[in-house]
Amino acid sequence: MTDIIQGAALITGASTGLGAVYADRLAKRGHDLILVARNGAQLQDRAATLRADHGVAVDVIVADLSNSDDVTRIEQRLIDDAAITLFVNNAGMSLNGGTLENSAAEIQTIIALNITAAARLAIAAGKAFASRGAGQIVNIASVLALAPEQFEGVYSGSKAFLLNLSIALANSVREQGVQVQAVLPGATRTEIWERSGKDVDAFPAEMVMDAGDLVDAALLGLDRGEEVTIPPLADEGQWAAYQDARLAMGPGLSRRDVAERYRVSEAA
């Protein structure tokens, strides 16, 4: 069990969905908040409620993280503000329709938000926290990082990228006192479904988790020091076996010689 680090929490995508739930839960824990999202009116309403309910300081930054200049502003805040001890890297989007049904501009936007912005901010937080000797980074990925056959591949690919980045970043900053956690939600009842033209109620009810339950489980995983948290997965041994199998391939992934199964025999 890791110690809960007090200080301010910066949360992206904080106006609705998982980001809004993280804001509420972290305010209950006594964290001051810095909320980032595109919708300024929603952010101000959320901030007023959090101040009234929990008595914490709440700062609001209106930013579109698919825009590079706005990402730079948030990077700078993470670097300059030593009060920030927790970064929740939550902002993201899903495509409306399948991979082949979207325009080049739509593909560019999801990559800018889910990959470029997420990576830049996670790395900025990692550098800042490592220099201070403490901090926690929560990257919101998805179980689709492990299931590319389901839905469209750009979204699942972006979440696989974030999972890989999280594992690598954790290895880089662990010794500097920084914890990195990748959270992999399954289908969760948030506004992302409606925004991407999908009906979450089309899933069997037993497959859809409440956003509050998801965040509560993720925070328990964070407290336990988990670097990968999969709230819907009942059998933790399945994840351990997956990791063991992946790592077991390591010694054979880069060799001078072509594997025997790719050699053409003389008889052939």
Side-chain angles (χ1 to χ4, degrees):
M1 187 74 73
T2 62
D3 294 332
I4 296 175
I5 304 172
Q6 287 304 319
L10 190 151
I11 307 168
T12 63
S15 60
T16 60
L18 296 183
V21 178
Y22 264 104
D24 177 72
R25 299 301 196 264
L26 293 173
K28 285 180 179 176
R29 291 182 171 213
H31 290 274
D32 292 333
L33 301 173
I34 303 158
L35 307 181
V36 180
R38 290 182 302 172
N39 191 313
Q42 282 185 325
L43 276 184
Q44 292 293 354
D45 289 345
R46 181 79 51 195
T49 299
L50 291 166
R51 294 183 193 109
D53 290 350
H54 304 298
V56 297
V58 184
D59 193 8
V60 164
I61 304 176
V62 179
D64 178 355
L65 297 182
S66 65
N67 179 285
S68 182
D69 290 341
D70 282 2
V71 176
T72 299
R73 288 197 292 127
I74 308 307
E75 283 177 316
Q76 206 59 49
R77 182 64 179 266
L78 287 164
I79 293 165
D80 293 341
D81 190 345
I84 299 172
T85 58
L86 173 58
F87 171 47
V88 181
N89 200 6
N90 168 70
M93 62 174 286
S94 176
L95 291 174
N96 191 336
T99 305
L100 303 182
E101 298 166 2
N102 283 269
S103 68
E106 288 162 330
I107 299 299
Q108 184 169 317
T109 298
I110 190 174
I111 290 173
L113 180 59
N114 288 19
I115 295 180
T116 305
R120 285 177 57 180
L121 296 178
I123 292 167
K127 290 177 179 178
F129 294 166
S131 71
R132 298 169 199 157
Q136 295 172 305
I137 299 168
V138 177
N139 290 323
I140 305 299
S142 168
V143 295
L144 293 179
L146 309 175
E149 301 85 0
Q150 299 184 32
F151 302 101
E152 52 82 12
V154 180
Y155 178 82
S156 64
S158 72
K159 295 305 182 178
F161 171 89
L162 195 52
L163 174 60
N164 280 8
L165 177 65
S166 297
I167 293 170
L169 189 58
N171 284 335
S172 298
V173 298
R174 194 181 297 118
E175 298 303 317
Q176 285 73 49
V178 181
Q179 180 186 0
V180 181
Q181 178 200 34
V183 177
L184 279 60
T188 307
R189 193 171 296 281
T190 69
E191 294 83 351
I192 193 172
W193 296 96
E194 184 177 353
R195 289 199 298 266
S196 61
K198 302 178 180 71
D199 181 11
V200 70
D201 291 321
F203 290 95
E206 63 271 16
M207 288 183 62
V208 183
M209 187 174 290
D210 176 77
D213 291 341
L214 185 286
V215 172
D216 289 340
L219 286 171
L220 180 58
L222 185 70
D223 295 343
R224 289 174 173 171
E226 292 181 359
E227 293 183 347
V228 177
T229 297
I230 311 175
L233 186 64
D235 185 354
E236 186 179 7
Q238 290 180 314
W239 169 251
Y242 174 89
Q243 282 286 78
D244 288 345
R246 182 180 66 81
L247 293 171
M249 288 192 293
L253 292 178
S254 183
R255 307 293 292 270
R256 180 191 63 192
D257 297 325
V258 171
E260 189 63 34
R261 61 198 176 99
Y262 292 114
R263 295 183 182 277
V264 179
S265 66
E266 291 185 11

